[in-house]
Amino acid sequence: MRLHVGCAMWTHAAWDLATKDRLRSYATWCTAVESNTTFYATPSRGTVEKWAAQTSPDFRFVVKLPKTITHERRLRGTDAELAAFLSALEPLGPRAHAFWIQLPASFGPGDLGALGTFLHRLPRTHRYAVEVRHRAFFEDERAAGSLEQLLGRLDAEWIPFDTMTLFGRPATSLVEREAWMSKPRVPRRTRALTARPIVRYIGRDDPEQTAAGWQGWADLSAGWLREGRSPTVFIHTPDNALALGLARRFHDDVRLRVPELEPLPEPVETGPPTLF
C-alpha cells in the first residue's frame, strides 16, 4: 500500500534545500516529482544518471515528453526524437514511473487517431499517461468515452489537472492572477483507468484553502489504496513556495483515512522549518 506525493519541481528558492544535490534533499521530503524540464529539452544521459544516483529505486519520476513531439509535431513523425528521448532516460530504470504525454488544448477528439497510432508504437516496457486539455474531452461523453477506451486498451492513464480550487473564487494576488492566465480551466475528472492513477492538483496562496480543496482527492486516494491501487498525487500552488510541505500534509490527510498507510520518513532539514 503506497501513496506517492510530490511537487512540480525539485528545486525552489523558498524551500532552502541543500545547494548541492538538491534532488537528493528533495527526495527526503517527497517520494515523487513531475519532471517538467524534459518538456523543453531532452537531458543528457549523464544528467539522468545523476538524477538516478540521488534517488532510491522506488522514487517516482513522471517524465514529460518533449514539446517537439507533443506540441510541434503533434505525435506525428517523431520516431527519431522519441528514440533519443527514451534512450536518454534509461538510467532512471524503475524510477521512471510513467512517461507523461501532455497534449495542447487544440488537440481534440479528431486527433485521437494520431494518439492511438503513437501509443501503439511505444515500447511496452514503460508506462504512459496522457493529459488532455481540449474541453470536448470533459464536456462530451462520447469524446471522453473514446479517449478512455483508447487508453484502457493500452493500460495508459488519463492524468487530470484539477484547477477547480484555483478558479473557485477571484484571484487575490499577482501569482494567483498569473495562474488564472496560464492554467487550464476544465471540469474536474476523478476516474482512474489503471492500477497507478496520477493526479495533478493546484490550490491557492492560502494553505488552508488549498487543503480544503483537496479533501475529495484524499477520499479518492484512500479508496484507491483500499482497492489495491498505488496513486501518485502532485500538489501545486500558484507560486509553489509552500508546495513541499503541503505535499506531505496531503499524505498525512490520507493516513487519517487509511491508518495502516506507512508515514513518510522524516525529511532532512536544511533551512528554516516549514509551516507543516
Side-chain angles (χ1 to χ4, degrees), residues 96-227:
H97 178 64
F99 287 100
W100 168 19
I101 304 164
Q102 185 187 82
L103 297 168
S106 60
F107 196 101
D111 297 299
L112 285 181
L115 176 60
T117 298
F118 181 79
L119 290 173
H120 277 288
R121 293 171 67 87
L122 292 172
R124 302 265 63 85
T125 50
H126 303 296
R127 297 186 191 88
Y128 304 97
V130 175
E131 180 185 342
V132 291
R133 296 188 172 188
H134 195 289
R135 292 193 68 86
F137 292 120
F138 301 88
E139 298 174 345
D140 184 320
E141 291 185 6
R142 180 176 296 182
S146 296
L147 178 56
E148 285 190 357
Q149 289 177 16
L150 171 61
L151 297 177
R153 287 196 298 269
L154 297 168
D155 196 33
E157 190 54 81
W158 180 341
I159 301 180
F161 189 14
D162 180 6
T163 60
M164 298 293 284
T165 298
L166 173 67
F167 290 113
R169 62 184 67 186
T172 58
S173 69
L174 177 59
V175 289
E176 285 190 351
R177 287 194 291 273
E178 290 174 346
W180 267 49
M181 297 295 292
S182 62
K183 304 305 180 185
R185 190 167 188 165
V186 294
R188 180 182 289 128
R189 186 185 182 281
T190 59
R191 177 181 169 89
L193 302 181
T194 72
R196 299 197 175 199
I198 300 169
V199 174
R200 306 178 71 222
Y201 166 83
I202 182 168
R204 305 283 302 224
D205 289 339
D206 183 343
E208 298 310 317
Q209 292 179 23
T210 299
W214 76 39
Q215 294 306 309
W217 289 114
D219 291 337
L220 279 167
S221 297
W224 288 335
L225 290 166
R226 294 192 181 99
E227 293 169 0

Side-chain angles (χ1 to χ4, degrees), residues 1 3 5 214-215 217-223 225-226 231 233 248-261:
M1 185 178 291
L3 165 66
V5 294
W214 76 39
Q215 294 306 309
W217 289 114
D219 291 337
L220 279 167
S221 297
L225 290 166
R226 294 192 181 99
V233 178
R248 293 180 65 88
R249 180 172 173 179
F250 178 84
H251 193 279
D252 289 342
D253 273 8
V254 177
R255 283 193 69 234
L256 292 175
R257 295 158 168 83
V258 186
E260 60 269 34
L261 178 66

Side-chain angles (χ1 to χ4, degrees), residues 12 17 100 212 267 271:
H12 192 298
L17 298 179
W100 168 19

